[in-house]
Amino acid sequence: MKRELKACSGIHRARTGRLEGMAAMKLWSIQSRAQNERFSYWREVLCEAFVSLNPILNEKHTVIDFAGEVSSRSLSTTAQTRVFSKAQHIQRRGEEILRNPVEYCFANFQLEGSCVVRQDGQESMVLPGDFSIVDSTRPYFLDYQGDWHVLSFRIPREQVISRLASPYKATARRVDGKAGMGLVASRFARSLEQVDLDTGSGVQDGLSAALNSIIAIALGATLEAQERDRLPVREAIRLAVETYIRDHLEEPYLGPDMLASRFKVSRRTLYSLFEEAPLSVSSLIRELRLQRSARDLLSPGHPGVLAVALRWGFSDASHFSRLFKRRFGVCPREFADFTLKGGLDAVNGGACSVSSLGATLGAGHSSPFSMTRP
């Protein structure tokens, strides 16, 4: 026990120094360790990346076949961590709390596998896409029953607890990540992984605060917190809707009704989220579908104009052709033909070449053309 305490204390001091300097991504992998040392090293990794914890290997597995990997970086005062490992129980008991009496909330977003989480007399089964929180000041238990992958945010406790209407009822509670604010939270959390490491502290503070607000609203925020955080939450919902649209463009029924139902808001609220955006929600769907269609038509050996149109949700070929021509200045078939000839210089006065259009669309950027609200 004393040996473990000494190791954890030393690792914790090293971690604090690095986080204060806003260091780059930190990586831990146990694969470089001898097989008989991997699980003991895993305990040290968890201590450094999270808080003092007591992992217990599942009886079905042995130390020899154990695997685990952790990557972590800071976002303002929050630590953002990805974890992959095998089946195990992870405890934070009274003795770990006494040894390492820090005050954090952990928001754990389940990416793969499942976890039974217990705290404060509550128990939930968290599935891929869902999330739950635990409070480091009280004992909790995590049971991962197979291979698992989690995106975890270590947040200063007061930043979450101060926003919750019933803090003790919020822990170990499964939040469905497939609809409503759970969907917003899961998509916003994933989007934070794309934030550049050199992003300014002011932006990081804002993103971290927005995440805390969304988590609190999903779990039940106070009226004061809801009002105070209204604007960043609205922006986060709009971002979540936009990313959902981008990921589901092939679905034929994607539209305002489906989105309002999925995010559990009224159509009026959905429309209002995009009032100050360059495009309305319907126009954004149409624009992105046209961009994806153009990208496919740029590809050698594409399956044909009709197949491309159907793939991206256009059920009427003539309607697709009219929209495409209005957007790009040529009909889809001419666009594909010019692709084979190497350029669009003969069209639109040479305003746009296929190569530059392809580079833009292929890189996932919005468009080389202006996107204005119709």
Side-chain angles (χ1 to χ4, degrees):
M1 185 72 70
K2 291 181 179 178
R3 181 180 178 183
E4 180 186 331
L5 172 57
K6 183 177 179 180
C8 281
S9 298
I11 293 173
H12 183 67
R13 284 194 296 271
R15 178 191 66 202
T16 303
R18 282 190 286 267
L19 287 182
E20 285 175 353
M22 299 293 286
M25 182 79 72
K26 292 179 60 181
L27 301 171
W28 298 266
S29 176
I30 67 170
Q31 300 309 110
S32 61
R33 298 284 172 144
Q35 289 181 331
N36 63 343
E37 298 177 354
R38 288 180 178 178
F39 197 73
S40 59
Y41 177 61
W42 180 247
R43 183 189 302 273
E44 296 179 15
V45 169
L46 293 181
C47 179
E48 180 173 1
F50 296 96
V51 290
S52 182
L53 297 167
N54 180 44
I56 303 171
L57 193 61
N58 189 297
E59 294 178 357
K60 297 180 181 179
H61 295 272
T62 65
V63 173
I64 294 176
D65 64 5
F66 185 75
E69 186 173 286
V70 176
S71 60
S72 182
R73 67 175 187 171
S74 59
L75 179 75
S76 185
T77 56
T78 296
Q80 176 181 312
T81 306
R82 262 187 181 258
V83 193
F84 161 79
S85 193
K86 299 284 187 178
Q88 61 194 276
H89 313 305
I90 299 178
Q91 303 171 324
R92 181 162 169 85
R93 304 165 298 178
E95 55 194 271
E96 280 83 37
I97 294 172
L98 288 173
R99 182 186 310 142
N100 181 215
V102 292
E103 297 190 359
Y104 294 114
C105 283
F106 288 93
N108 297 324
F109 292 81
Q110 198 76 27
L111 305 180
E112 297 176 11
S114 61
C115 177
V116 175
V117 54
R118 292 201 293 268
Q119 188 172 38
D120 298 329
Q122 297 164 147
E123 178 177 311
S124 298
M125 170 72 82
V126 183
L127 302 174
D130 302 337
F131 83 92
S132 64
I133 70 166
V134 291
D135 187 330
S136 72
T137 65
R138 301 187 300 280
Y140 62 81
F141 176 84
L142 307 172
D143 182 8
Y144 296 101
Q145 301 173 359
D147 292 358
W148 54 280
H149 194 177
V150 164
L151 175 61
S152 179
F153 292 86
R154 190 192 67 196
I155 306 167
R157 181 175 182 270
E158 186 61 23
Q159 294 182 16
V160 177
I161 297 300
S162 64
R163 289 176 160 91
L164 293 173
S166 302
Y168 282 83
K169 293 182 180 179
T171 54
R173 178 178 144 199
R174 169 183 171 264
V175 179
D176 184 359
K178 298 180 180 63
M181 286 304 298
L183 177 58
V184 174
S186 63
R187 288 192 162 266
F188 188 77
R190 295 290 294 273
S191 74
L192 294 179
E193 294 187 286
Q194 309 305 316
V195 176
D196 291 337
L197 290 170
D198 58 356
T199 299
S201 60
V203 174
Q204 290 197 34
D205 290 346
L207 292 172
S208 180
L211 175 66
N212 299 342
S213 302
I214 296 162
I215 289 171
I217 290 176
L219 290 166
T222 63
L223 292 176
E224 180 184 356
Q226 291 181 45
E227 180 59 29
R228 182 180 67 244
D229 299 333
R230 184 173 59 85
L231 291 179
V233 168
R234 278 178 58 86
E235 185 63 20
I237 296 173
R238 186 180 65 80
L239 174 63
V241 172
E242 287 184 359
T243 61
Y244 186 91
I245 289 172
R246 292 176 186 276
D247 291 343
H248 295 81
L249 288 169
E250 295 181 67
E251 295 187 15
Y253 298 107
L254 180 67
D257 287 338
M258 174 187 175
L259 292 168
S261 175
R262 180 68 65 185
F263 285 89
K264 296 185 177 180
V265 297
S266 67
R267 281 176 57 114
R268 181 178 178 180
T269 297
L270 178 67
Y271 291 142
S272 71
L273 293 173
F274 288 81
E275 284 179 349
E276 297 182 8
L279 294 174
S280 66
V281 62
S282 297
S283 296
L284 177 62
I285 294 171
R286 182 174 63 249
E287 170 66 23
L288 293 175
R289 282 175 164 169
L290 288 170
Q291 286 187 29
R292 298 290 176 87
S293 300
R295 186 186 64 186
D296 281 4
L297 291 173
L298 287 172
S299 303
H302 65 76
V305 172
L306 180 58
V308 168
L310 291 173
R311 177 188 178 187
W312 296 112
F314 296 100
S315 57
D316 186 316
S318 60
H319 179 61
F320 169 68
S321 183
R322 287 195 299 272
L323 290 175
F324 194 96
K325 185 172 184 179
R326 184 189 308 163
R327 177 66 178 79
F328 295 109
V330 292
C331 69
R333 199 169 302 281
E334 289 176 304
F335 185 91
D337 290 342
F338 276 112
T339 300
L340 296 176
K341 295 175 183 178
L344 282 176
D345 293 338
V347 183
N348 292 333
C352 176
S353 70
V354 168
S355 58
S356 64
L357 179 58
T360 303
L361 295 176
H365 297 136
S366 59
S367 172
F369 301 90
S370 62
M371 293 172 59
T372 56
R373 182 182 293 275

